[in-house]
């Protein structure tokens, strides 16, 4: 992913219910994260997103009925025309990167071990961006993250209000993923 995708702070709608897709499509947001997609509906969902000149991303762990191997990544890129993928799995993201998909590694930081592991991975990662979860933790560790990586950083999970979004922006995060329609 080119860093210019994050020249300005991105609010990325995370579509947890397909009924909410229309709201995201009507928004000014540039990227839509399809978290309720499966192999039966993915192609039509991506077409809808692209028709509005937006980028379609999927979460590999939540993509129903899908094989997460090299052939699967090629299908995502060449058949489904997905623009980017998010995952916690470094190996899957490596496969996706080789297929020229935008790659975002997700880090759920629940304790000091997860924190240490995340920093170690971020020091050598080759993904295009990273998402730190939950956002409250992301607020506390931004400077530590910046010491080990210069890739774009997103925050997500339990973002409840505009004040949290403003704080994440002020800290220097490049964007957020959020399922609350009021912020799309």
């Amino acid at each position: 992913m080119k860093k210019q995708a994050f020249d300005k702070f991105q609010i990325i709608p995370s579509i947890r219910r397909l009924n909410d897709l229309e709201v995201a499509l009507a928004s000014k947001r540039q990227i839509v994260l399809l978290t309720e997609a499966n192999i039966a509906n993915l192609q039509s969902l991506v077409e809808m997103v692209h028709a509005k000149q937006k980028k379609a991303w999927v979460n590999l762990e939540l993509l129903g009925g899908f094989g997460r191997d090299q052939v699967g990544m090629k299908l995502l890129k060449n058949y489904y025309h997905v623009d980017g993928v998010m995952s916690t799995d470094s190996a899957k993201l490596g496969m996706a990167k080789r297929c020229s998909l935008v790659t975002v590694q997700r880090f759920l930081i629940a304790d000091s071990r997860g924190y240490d592991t995340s920093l170690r991975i971020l020091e050598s990662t080759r993904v295009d961006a990273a998402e730190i979860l939950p956002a409250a933790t992301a607020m506390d560790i931004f400077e530590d993250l910046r010491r080990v990586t210069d890739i774009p950083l997103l925050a997500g999970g339990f973002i409840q209000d505009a004040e949290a979004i403003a704080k994440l922006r002020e800290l220097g995060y490049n964007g957020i993923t959020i399922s609350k329609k009021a912020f799309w």
Side-chain angles (χ1 to χ4, degrees):
M1 173 177 52
K2 297 177 177 67
K3 286 191 179 182
Q4 56 261 42
F6 289 104
D7 279 351
K8 63 180 186 166
F9 189 82
Q10 293 282 340
I11 295 177
I12 301 170
S14 178
I15 309 303
R16 291 176 52 191
R17 293 188 323 226
L18 293 179
N19 293 343
D20 295 338
L21 181 59
E22 289 300 325
V23 177
L25 294 177
S27 77
K28 60 183 178 180
R29 305 304 169 204
Q30 299 171 352
I31 301 166
V32 176
L33 176 59
L34 302 168
T35 57
E36 285 300 313
N38 59 62
I39 60 170
N41 67 10
L42 182 59
Q43 191 168 27
S44 63
L45 295 175
V46 170
E47 287 172 359
M48 291 169 67
V49 171
H50 287 168
K52 296 292 186 177
Q53 281 72 62
K54 299 177 186 297
K55 301 292 183 188
W57 289 5
V58 297
N59 181 322
L60 291 178
E61 282 85 16
L62 299 177
L63 186 56
F66 189 75
R68 291 160 190 87
D69 56 10
Q70 189 69 33
V71 172
M73 297 308 148
K74 287 179 181 178
L75 279 171
L76 282 179
K77 177 69 176 178
N78 300 321
Y79 180 74
Y80 291 104
H81 305 290
V82 167
D83 301 294
V85 297
M86 300 180 85
S87 179
T88 58
D89 189 318
S90 298
K92 305 289 187 282
L93 290 167
M95 287 184 253
K97 184 97 172 140
R98 286 189 293 280
C99 293
S100 300
L101 288 163
V102 171
T103 54
V104 180
Q105 187 153 12
R106 305 182 83 215
F107 295 93
L108 176 58
I109 302 176
D111 57 22
S112 59
R113 182 173 289 190
Y115 167 79
D116 292 340
T117 301
S118 297
L119 290 179
R120 193 169 50 255
I121 293 169
L122 280 167
E123 283 180 313
S124 61
T125 190
R126 298 200 189 287
V127 295
D128 297 302
E131 181 188 31
I132 309 303
L133 305 149
T137 300
M139 289 182 205
D140 293 336
I141 65 170
F142 181 78
E143 292 303 321
D144 297 335
L145 298 169
R146 273 293 163 237
R147 277 193 278 281
V148 299
T149 189
D150 65 351
I151 64 173
L153 296 172
L154 307 173
F158 300 111
I159 298 173
Q160 301 298 321
D161 51 43
E163 291 79 24
I165 296 170
K167 183 172 182 183
L168 290 161
R169 182 184 290 197
E170 279 176 34
L171 284 168
Y173 278 89
N174 301 92
I176 62 168
T177 60
I178 189 165
S179 59
K180 286 187 171 238
K181 293 184 288 189
F183 299 109
W184 296 351

